[in-house]
Amino acid sequence: MKPYFIKPLRIAADLALVCGFAASAMAQEVNNAATTTSRPMSASLASVTQQMLDSAGGDSKNWLHSNGSYNQTRYYPGNQINTGNVGSLKPAFVFQTAVLESMETAPIVDNGVMFLTTSFNHVYAIDAKTGEEYWHYKHKLGPIVTVCCGNNNRGVAIAEGVLYMGTIDAKLVALDAKTGNVLWNVQIADPDKGYSETMAPAYVDGKVLIGTNGGEYGIRGFVKAYDAKDGKLLWTFYSIPDSGQEGVWATKDPTGRDMHRSIDVEKAALAKDSSFYQTLGGGIWMTPAIDKKTRTVFVSVGNPSPDLYGAIRPGDNLYTDSLVAIDLDKGTYKWHFQFVPHDIWDLDAVSPPVLTQAKDANGKMVDVVIQGGKTGHIYVIDRNTGKLIRFSEAMIPQENMWVLPTKDGARMLPGANGGVEWSPLAVNPGLHMAYAANLHQPMTYHVEEVPYPGGKLWLGGAFKTIPSEEQWGRLVAVNLDTGKVAWGVKTPQPLIGGVLATAGGLVFNGEANGWFKAFDAKTGKELWKYNCGAGVNAPAVSYMVGGTQYIAVAAGGNNQIDSKRGNSVFVFALH
């Protein structure tokens, strides 16, 4: 087997909790592209149309977007499984993949056929009722793969009989949904410079949208739109603009807390050198939300590079740590809202944005976009103007906020994982409630003067967990109309993976210890649980086949919090 090179991470072992990589996982990769067929594809497989994608939020039969719909509410509209009967939920089948490594996939289900992904960019097509395999695609990785936080993949996009997947060697691959054969692939960016792809792409109106990872390597972030038919590049939006990255020189965050910045020192540094924008980071980790009515794409932009050493990058560092609205047709800027100006704590915007409705300051119901932050807040923003309406009460402890990192380390809560990490929120639109999976990991922040290393890991210091302090998670419900926390459930380990809400009045969430649980959406009361034997660190989905509702979730563990590895997707139904 031809070896391939994964760039090493030069950092203290503590950082495995933030952006770790398990080197032993390399043994799981099969480095030859191939599609193996186990049985003929089901005749029921539908060619997913744009109309089906547009109406997916109300479709209880299928799950056609990684986050359920273009709005990304992760709200399933069926209620066959509900608060009254969820206690009778049992496994319908367990599908075991060939890859024993971190799983973050949100499966797509099209008319009884499920498409799921694994680390190292394997794709499986299986029967969504029985778990029988149709085909298995193994992506052939290039000679260089640069990843910060594991060789994960979060799923595919589907449209018109084609699947689209981003790969950790920075490619976009189109597969025939029926056979798994490669139709085309394009190189998105150069992995030798730190670029990689783990997000599930978005398909809309003949375009495939995909962002990029690499904020820990000094990349220049972007969203690109490709022609779905042939992979031709249509437009690129850079999350780091050519000019104006300094922003407004904000001295406070949106909650009014002082950022302890030396603005005069930063301005003097900018006057000497403004060329750093080419390596300022701003990766886009998760699938964008799309408002078809206003033709707007909403993306969450990640941290600046280097993460902790801010002296080399003066200014607000736009559009890092921001929610950005982009014109769907042109790829041009509409507006932005920055959560953490001049971030030197890695408390960036990672969780995917969600489109819903909430009351504004005058009590009027308006269209909003919400973001779950590593800061521990959910931010409610006017979708048309980009103005902040409110931020939620803190969902986790906050202490010594915005203390400046030091060589010896400064303690601050939350730690660098949050809060809400990449985990998708879920929203129950009837209750106007958002549900967020949070982490509590006390850390010290250490800064080090490090010049740009040319595509290698570039943190400018380290984040270190504090062994004497407890780590835990918290599943939190927030009232979007008031910002008040409605309820919270503490878990023994930090939460990462994402949430599912249903019209049956339920909220589903997994834990690192293998438990997959259902809660009452109104009260947070635990109603059901099942242990999957490995970390449930992926967002669940729901669908129907033959009149039966199913709940599916991957249990493969996670690199960032080093939860127990597995290789399976568990599927549940009432019995």
Side-chain angles (χ1 to χ4, degrees), residues 267-329:
K267 286 183 176 180
L270 181 65
K272 291 180 180 179
D273 181 15
S274 61
S275 63
F276 57 86
Y277 77 94
Q278 294 281 9
T279 57
L280 190 50
I284 296 170
W285 287 81
M286 298 297 288
T287 310
I290 299 170
D291 187 334
K292 291 289 295 293
K293 181 175 64 177
T294 63
R295 310 295 293 175
T296 307
V297 178
F298 299 89
V299 295
S300 302
V301 183
N303 59 276
S305 299
D307 298 49
L308 294 134
Y309 177 43
I312 202 171
R313 47 172 176 83
D316 293 350
N317 303 147
L318 297 178
Y319 302 110
T320 66
D321 289 50
S322 297
L323 180 70
V324 183
I326 305 166
D327 186 287
L328 171 61
D329 300 304

Side-chain angles (χ1 to χ4, degrees), residues 312-364:
I312 202 171
R313 47 172 176 83
D316 293 350
N317 303 147
L318 297 178
Y319 302 110
T320 66
D321 289 50
S322 297
L323 180 70
V324 183
I326 305 166
D327 186 287
L328 171 61
D329 300 304
K330 302 174 184 176
T332 51
Y333 169 91
K334 286 192 171 184
W335 57 255
H336 78 276
F337 180 86
Q338 190 171 41
F339 304 104
V340 185
H342 193 73
D343 179 13
I344 50 175
W345 306 270
D346 196 30
L347 291 184
D348 50 333
V350 190
S351 180
V354 182
L355 308 183
T356 185
Q357 289 192 317
K359 291 180 180 179
D360 66 11
N362 298 316
K364 179 183 177 182

Side-chain angles (χ1 to χ4, degrees), residues 360-381:
D360 66 11
N362 298 316
K364 179 183 177 182
M365 198 65 65
V366 296
D367 290 339
V368 299
V369 52
I370 67 172
Q371 168 75 39
K374 282 188 179 182
T375 57
H377 297 293
I378 289 178
Y379 301 86
V380 181
I381 298 166

Side-chain angles (χ1 to χ4, degrees), residues 308 345 400 403-412 443-448 461-464 466:
L308 294 134
W345 306 270
N400 212 17
V403 65
L404 300 179
T406 66
K407 181 179 179 181
D408 296 327
R411 179 183 179 275
M412 187 182 87
M443 291 184 183
T444 52
Y445 291 81
H446 304 250
V447 66
E448 179 183 0
F463 331 88
K464 297 184 179 181
I466 304 172

Side-chain angles (χ1 to χ4, degrees), residues 178-442:
K178 184 176 180 179
T179 65
N181 293 332
V182 177
L183 300 176
W184 55 259
N185 73 81
V186 295
Q187 191 74 51
I188 296 173
D190 186 354
D192 194 35
K193 294 182 178 179
Y195 293 90
S196 63
E197 309 295 330
T198 57
M199 69 183 291
Y203 174 98
V204 57
D205 294 343
K207 302 180 184 70
V208 182
L209 308 183
I210 191 165
T212 187
N213 302 343
E216 281 66 44
Y217 294 87
I219 56 100
R220 185 187 185 192
F222 57 73
V223 180
K224 293 186 177 184
Y226 291 89
D227 190 309
K229 293 181 179 179
D230 56 15
K232 179 184 177 181
L233 181 63
L234 301 176
W235 55 252
T236 301
F237 174 84
Y238 286 105
S239 59
I240 308 298
D242 292 339
S243 61
Q245 314 89 14
E246 66 274 14
V248 298
W249 303 97
T251 59
K252 295 182 179 181
D253 75 358
T255 72
R257 285 174 287 208
D258 194 291
M259 304 293 293
H260 307 302
R261 294 173 64 180
S262 299
I263 299 299
D264 289 342
V265 174
E266 289 186 41
K267 286 183 176 180
L270 181 65
K272 291 180 180 179
D273 181 15
S274 61
S275 63
F276 57 86
Y277 77 94
Q278 294 281 9
T279 57
L280 190 50
I284 296 170
W285 287 81
M286 298 297 288
T287 310
I290 299 170
D291 187 334
K292 291 289 295 293
K293 181 175 64 177
T294 63
R295 310 295 293 175
T296 307
V297 178
F298 299 89
V299 295
S300 302
V301 183
N303 59 276
S305 299
D307 298 49
L308 294 134
Y309 177 43
I312 202 171
R313 47 172 176 83
D316 293 350
N317 303 147
L318 297 178
Y319 302 110
T320 66
D321 289 50
S322 297
L323 180 70
V324 183
I326 305 166
D327 186 287
L328 171 61
D329 300 304
K330 302 174 184 176
T332 51
Y333 169 91
K334 286 192 171 184
W335 57 255
H336 78 276
F337 180 86
Q338 190 171 41
F339 304 104
V340 185
H342 193 73
D343 179 13
I344 50 175
W345 306 270
D346 196 30
L347 291 184
D348 50 333
V350 190
S351 180
V354 182
L355 308 183
T356 185
Q357 289 192 317
K359 291 180 180 179
D360 66 11
N362 298 316
K364 179 183 177 182
M365 198 65 65
V366 296
D367 290 339
V368 299
V369 52
I370 67 172
Q371 168 75 39
K374 282 188 179 182
T375 57
H377 297 293
I378 289 178
Y379 301 86
V380 181
I381 298 166
D382 187 294
R383 201 187 306 175
N384 295 312
T385 66
K387 302 297 183 183
L388 179 67
I389 295 174
R390 68 181 57 88
F391 57 91
S392 75
E393 296 176 329
M395 297 181 286
I396 56 167
Q398 296 174 328
E399 297 179 19
N400 212 17
M401 285 292 283
W402 311 135
V403 65
L404 300 179
T406 66
K407 181 179 179 181
D408 296 327
R411 179 183 179 275
M412 187 182 87
L413 301 180
N417 276 330
V420 182
E421 231 282 353
W422 58 265
S423 307
L425 306 177
V427 170
N428 184 313
L431 298 176
H432 288 196
M433 206 89 80
Y435 306 93
N438 286 267
L439 306 91
H440 172 72
Q441 293 179 300

Side-chain angles (χ1 to χ4, degrees), residues 79-82 85-86 89 502 504 506 508 549-551 574:
N79 61 3
Q80 185 180 95
I81 301 170
N82 53 60
N85 60 21
V86 69
L89 209 59
T502 78
L506 297 169
F508 289 89
Q549 181 185 349
Y550 295 88
I551 306 288
L574 295 173

